[in-house]
Amino acid sequence: MEFTWRWFGKNDKITLSMLRQIGVEGIVTALHDVPLGEVWTRESIRDLKEYIEAAGLRWSVVESLPVTETIKYGGPDRDEQIAIYTQSLRNLAAEGIHIVCYNFMPVLDWARTDLLHPNPDGTFNLYFSYSEFAYFDIYILKRPGAREEWAQFRLPEGVGEGRDILAEVEALRQTMTPEGEHRLVDNIIVKTQGFVSGNIREDDEHPLELFRQLLSKYEGIDKAQLRANMKYFLEAIMPVCEECDMKMCVHPDDPPIPVLGLPRIVRTAEDIRWFLQAVPNPHNGLTFCAGSLSAGAQNDVVAMAREFAVRTHFVHLRSCHIFPNGDFTEASHLGGRAHVVELCRIFEATNPALPMRVDHGKTMLGDDTRGYNAGYSFLGRMYALAQVQGVLAALR
Ligand code: DNO
């Protein structure tokens, strides 16, 4: 596999020269300053590409070229947005970039409730607590119907048996402070979103209002409808992808559960099988995010890698640990339930040129004082990358 690294552009505090020093070969990035829904021009693509190449690296993957909400919920202007999307794909291919990662998660890209959860060894990890998430939904977002949905909510078989999330929410309510509520809003819909070109930016004054407006667009959109909209999008872009050899790879839903009343359709082996078969073109592929998949107790990550390796165009390596109550945290890259060593064996054998980036790292050794994006530390990711480099050297 190719060692790549997610870099957030010229303003990233982690510079390209730092990345060269630690054995990074390819860059994963996006034109983060182009507003959602606008064409990525050849000139701006070329400018960033040349900047990367001047540092002795290459631009290997785009993560992400965002699919705007109207395409996801099937709004009246979706064809217009799809035309803009395909124009950006053509421009990228014309500049020599042929792998594009995107997601089809409505409204909310990835979600965690705690971005700096302390570990006993002094490092910090990302963390997802169902009861804090439910608290946010019921008492902060105040989404109609949320309480009833959480009363019905069942974790996958084998975890959280007998867990009463509503009772935990009520217990949390006894101790919750305004600062605690503010932190949950920040963690769930602000700090994880803006820097990945999500819908909410750090400087939005009323993130909850904006978020509610976006949610309302999905009234009446169930799993079948979202699937139909994804198929529509893929069928519309495939001719262009064929023509300019563009490999599309959808990122799985993170975490792989339906959230906030929204359907999520890239969570399980059955979901992945569905979209690969629905549009059976090799340019329609998967970003194998071992972390997102391993956060789902229903997922056997190694079996999924075996099954989907041939349609995988990009790999994210990390691993989650699921607690008996169902909450999860991000484990070390050599621990947890993703089995990174086995995944390296499978992907390296399938395609030794496959781009791979270590995903999210621990926050460690002072990373927390540097202002890095949530989950995207320097030392923590460098440590994980070194582990994976060692694994691959041994396998090779
Ligand atoms: C989070 C990332 C996601 C991912 C997008 C791809 O850490 O893995 O934001 O980049 O979902 O579109």
Side-chain angles (χ1 to χ4, degrees):
M1 287 187 285
E2 179 195 27
F3 298 120
T4 68
W5 181 280
R6 189 174 198 182
W7 172 75
F8 294 100
K10 295 178 186 172
N11 296 329
D12 195 327
K13 296 191 174 76
I14 301 167
T15 63
L16 295 174
S17 70
M18 288 161 79
L19 299 182
R20 272 208 78 187
Q21 293 180 45
I22 61 171
V24 169
E25 298 162 333
I27 292 299
V28 173
T29 193
L31 298 185
H32 288 287
D33 42 4
V34 177
L36 291 178
E38 288 186 16
V39 173
W40 289 14
T41 63
R42 278 192 70 167
E43 294 66 36
S44 7
I45 297 166
R46 193 178 317 130
D47 174 69
L48 192 60
K49 185 182 175 219
E50 286 174 357
Y51 184 85
I52 294 169
E53 288 173 354
L57 293 158
R58 56 179 167 259
W59 185 352
S60 303
V61 179
V62 169
E63 180 175 357
S64 297
L65 181 56
V67 175
T68 45
E69 294 300 322
T70 187
I71 298 177
K72 294 179 187 172
Y73 63 77
D77 52 342
R78 77 166 150 181
D79 289 334
E80 206 177 295
Q81 276 297 313
I82 290 176
I84 289 175
Y85 201 94
T86 45
Q87 188 55 50
S88 299
L89 292 178
R90 281 185 206 280
N91 292 348
L92 283 162
E95 295 301 328
I97 298 156
H98 291 277
I99 305 179
V100 166
C101 167
Y102 69 101
N103 74 69
F104 222 79
M105 288 178 255
V107 187
L108 188 64
D109 196 313
W110 65 302
R112 297 291 183 276
T113 54
D114 190 353
L115 307 177
L116 221 51
H117 186 77
N119 296 316
D121 63 6
T123 61
F124 301 90
N125 271 349
L126 302 169
Y127 191 95
F128 187 89
S129 150
Y130 281 91
S131 48
E132 288 190 342
F133 197 76
Y135 181 94
F136 165 79
D137 195 5
I138 298 169
Y139 284 117
I140 302 178
L141 189 60
K142 301 190 173 75
R143 186 172 60 87
R147 176 179 293 279
E148 293 69 28
E149 277 175 37
W150 282 105
Q152 304 289 322
F153 183 77
R154 292 286 160 272
L155 283 151
E157 212 180 315
V159 291
E161 252 159 70
R163 184 170 184 187
D164 184 344
I165 291 182
L166 282 185
E168 289 177 31
V169 168
E170 292 313 314
L172 252 178
R173 203 173 174 209
Q174 303 306 315
T175 52
M176 187 57 78
T177 59
E179 296 73 43
E181 291 203 345
H182 186 261
R183 198 168 48 242
L184 277 181
V185 173
D186 235 21
N187 289 351
I188 297 174
I189 65 170
V190 181
K191 287 228 166 67
T192 46
Q193 302 303 302
F195 76 91
V196 296
S197 305
N199 288 308
I200 310 274
R201 292 184 318 271
E202 295 244 1
D203 56 358
D204 282 329
E205 276 180 29
H206 303 289
L208 278 170
E209 281 314 308
L210 196 58
F211 198 76
R212 286 190 191 107
Q213 277 169 24
L214 286 163
L215 281 182
S216 71
K217 304 279 188 195
Y218 285 84
E219 272 162 32
I221 308 274
D222 60 6
K223 175 177 169 181
Q225 188 57 51
L226 190 64
R227 276 188 167 184
N229 294 352
M230 183 177 180
K231 185 163 186 249
Y232 183 94
F233 165 70
L234 285 169
E235 281 175 344
I237 65 168
M238 276 303 122
V240 174
C241 295
E242 291 231 312
E243 191 188 302
C244 61
D245 187 23
M246 183 56 83
K247 292 182 181 138
M248 297 299 298
C249 39
V250 70
H251 188 283
D253 304 335
D254 183 6
I257 49 163
V259 293
L260 309 172
L262 298 163
R264 293 244 204 172
I265 56 171
V266 193
R267 309 190 292 124
T268 63
E270 193 258 327
D271 287 338
I272 296 171
R273 236 170 261 139
W274 173 81
F275 84 83
L276 293 177
Q277 283 164 10
V279 182
N281 184 315
H283 294 90
N284 169 28
L286 174 68
T287 295
F288 195 96
C289 178
S292 307
L293 296 171
S294 63
Q298 71 277 5
N299 291 333
D300 176 341
V301 185
V302 172
M304 291 169 90
R306 287 207 185 93
E307 179 173 351
F308 303 122
V310 286
R311 295 282 289 275
T312 295
H313 300 319
F314 181 31
V315 177
H316 286 182
L317 287 183
R318 69 181 165 87
S319 186
C320 285
H321 170 74
I322 303 181
F323 295 97
N325 74 350
D327 288 355
F328 70 86
T329 187
E330 306 207 9
S332 132
H333 281 63
L334 298 183
R337 53 192 306 283
H339 303 290
V340 164
V341 174
E342 204 48 40
L343 299 182
C344 286
R345 201 192 306 276
I346 294 165
F347 289 117
E348 180 73 359
T350 313
N351 175 7
L354 195 60
M356 177 283 303
R357 69 172 179 86
V358 294
D359 195 12
H360 306 169
K362 290 181 191 230
T363 296
M364 63 197 290
L365 303 169
D367 277 331
D368 54 316
T369 63
R370 300 291 172 108
Y372 299 138
N373 292 326
Y376 289 89
S377 61
F378 180 60
L379 295 174
R381 272 194 293 166
M382 174 176 99
Y383 180 69
L385 174 64
Q387 291 176 315
V388 173
Q389 286 165 332
V391 169
L392 276 161
L395 288 175
R396 281 167 186 167

